[in-house]
Amino acid sequence: MIKRPRRLRHNLAMREMVRETTLERRNLVYPLFVVEGENIKEEISSLKGIFHFSLDRLEEEIKELVNLGIQYVILFGIPNEKDAFGKEAYSETGIVQEAIRKVKEIAPDMYVITDVCMCQYTDHGHCGILSKEGYVQNDVTLPYLARIAVSHAKAGADMVAPSDMMDGRVAAIRAALDENGFMNVPIMSYSAKYASSFYGPFRAAAHSAPAFGDRKTYQMDIANTDEALREVELDLEEGADIVMVKPALSYLDIIRRVKDNFNAPIAAYNVSGEYAMIKMAVENGLLDEKAIYESVLSIKRAGADIIITYFAKELCKWI
């Protein structure tokens, strides 16, 4: 007897009945870039269709997201002033802190996640405090990261997401949040964040490229998979509520390994370089626009529960 798997692909109703993976709006987190100044809505040259917004222009964007049914955003701030210690990152009147309050004023039910790092705020562009020799000092950096996270929570952030890749930062942030009464603010840790070449457009957008050297002493080696599992395990032991793999499309195998080995919610960051490649291919007629949906669906299929993606608004037409 011939076995006929095609029976289950015979028509749309049948295919939908047996479909194993679906994307939903609740899976999507949309990145927002907020800048100081007034009346600014400026397209980011490296990320077509993505904009820098000043606080007074956020309302139109937030209302569009609400109308599309997108409930989750992650905020990235670009300050006017930078210094060696990233002081604007933990200022009560910092750009992210003000943006949190503004988003909550416009849409109280919008779930606001904040990126906790120092690279946008330091004049050297690295993710921590430097030694005299220019090395990022791990333990010296931890109190700064904790202070940033607490300042975000005080401003009204629903979740904090440390992206710095310092050892022990989840434990430091968890302790600081708890000590300040924010026991219910969860941590989504960038647990397996690779020293990838796919971050280029984001660094231009966030003005966060390192002034010298690279980030290979703290971000992960792109060749390693076992190391990712160790990083995830450590973050969960320290109190991470959600673990993240970044990038996503070139690291689907890592997402799958994390899913198979840990009983925890998994996020994946569909990063700027991945967005830019597919966006350019679609706009130049090299790919059908449904390749956008297919690419993000592959991240979900690999095992991600949460997907941070610049495609969130476009995906709503297919969800």
Side-chain angles (χ1 to χ4, degrees):
M1 181 180 71
I2 297 175
K3 294 184 179 179
R4 299 188 184 275
R6 284 184 59 191
R7 288 195 194 101
L8 299 182
R9 302 193 289 269
H10 180 64
N11 56 40
L12 178 60
M14 187 71 254
R15 292 193 297 274
E16 288 186 342
M17 178 182 283
V18 298
R19 186 162 292 151
E20 299 173 31
T21 307
T22 56
L23 269 178
E24 301 176 45
R25 284 173 174 82
R26 67 183 182 87
N27 302 134
L28 306 177
V29 178
Y30 188 64
L32 281 175
F33 294 92
V34 189
V35 298
E36 298 188 53
E38 295 181 355
N39 197 30
I40 298 170
K41 180 184 177 182
E42 188 175 86
E43 188 171 42
I44 298 167
S45 60
S46 59
L47 287 170
K48 190 159 185 182
I50 307 299
F51 296 82
H52 284 135
F53 290 96
S54 55
L55 294 176
D56 59 339
R57 294 295 299 273
L58 266 180
E59 185 167 0
E60 58 188 286
E61 182 76 350
I62 295 301
K63 286 187 173 179
E64 180 184 359
L65 295 175
V66 170
N67 289 336
L68 288 169
I70 296 171
Q71 189 182 351
Y72 306 95
V73 295
I74 184 167
L75 296 180
F76 298 93
I78 298 95
N80 284 341
E81 296 182 11
K82 303 187 179 195
D83 60 63
F85 299 95
K87 292 176 185 175
E88 282 298 303
Y90 50 82
S91 168
E92 288 185 12
T93 56
I95 185 59
V96 163
Q97 289 81 355
E98 295 287 7
I100 296 165
R101 288 187 277 266
K102 187 66 176 177
V103 172
K104 288 295 187 180
E105 175 189 319
I106 298 164
D109 293 332
M110 181 66 73
Y111 195 91
V112 177
I113 306 166
T114 58
D115 177 73
V116 175
C117 198
M118 301 183 72
C119 56
Q120 298 106 293
Y121 301 90
T122 55
D123 52 14
H124 48 72
H126 279 285
C127 302
I129 307 301
L130 298 184
S131 67
K132 292 179 181 179
E133 297 74 30
Y135 186 78
V136 177
Q137 301 178 91
N138 193 98
D139 294 5
V140 173
T141 299
L142 298 184
Y144 288 86
L145 296 170
R147 188 172 179 181
I148 295 167
V150 169
S151 75
H152 291 178
K154 286 180 177 178
D158 296 294
M159 179 187 292
V160 295
S163 61
D164 54 282
M165 287 299 286
M166 298 297 115
D167 296 337
R169 92 273 206 201
V170 172
I173 290 170
R174 183 72 271 157
L177 289 171
D178 290 354
E179 287 168 10
N180 285 273
F182 298 109
M183 287 79 71
N184 290 324
V185 172
I187 297 172
M188 177 169 66
S189 177
Y190 289 62
S191 299
K193 181 179 180 181
Y194 285 83
S196 171
S197 298
F198 285 96
Y199 303 149
F202 173 91
R203 289 178 180 171
H207 304 169
S208 62
F212 64 90
D214 54 39
R215 294 176 176 150
K216 291 181 179 179
T217 64
Y218 43 102
Q219 294 179 0
M220 283 182 53
D221 189 320
I222 61 172
N224 294 353
T225 66
D226 291 345
E227 183 183 6
L229 300 186
R230 293 196 295 272
E231 289 282 2
V232 167
E233 184 175 18
L234 286 170
D235 281 1
L236 289 171
E237 287 176 357
E238 291 179 21
D241 301 282
I242 300 168
V243 293
M244 187 195 302
V245 175
K246 181 183 180 185
L249 282 178
S250 296
Y251 295 82
L252 297 177
D253 59 321
I254 309 302
I255 297 170
R256 187 70 254 170
R257 286 200 71 189
V258 173
K259 185 71 171 180
D260 289 342
N261 282 275
F262 298 97
N263 182 23
I266 299 169
Y269 201 136
N270 184 201
V271 299
S272 59
E274 296 166 345
Y275 170 87
M277 288 191 304
I278 294 173
K279 187 81 170 174
M280 188 177 297
V282 169
E283 292 191 345
N284 285 279
L286 300 173
L287 292 175
D288 184 277
E289 68 171 351
K290 288 185 180 178
I292 294 170
Y293 181 87
E294 184 177 343
S295 68
V296 179
L297 183 69
S298 74
I299 301 168
K300 178 80 180 293
R301 191 178 64 240
D305 305 292
I306 301 156
I307 302 167
I308 302 171
T309 178
Y310 304 97
F311 284 126
K313 291 198 286 188
E314 292 169 85
L315 286 166
C316 287
K317 71 178 76 170
W318 296 297
I319 295 177

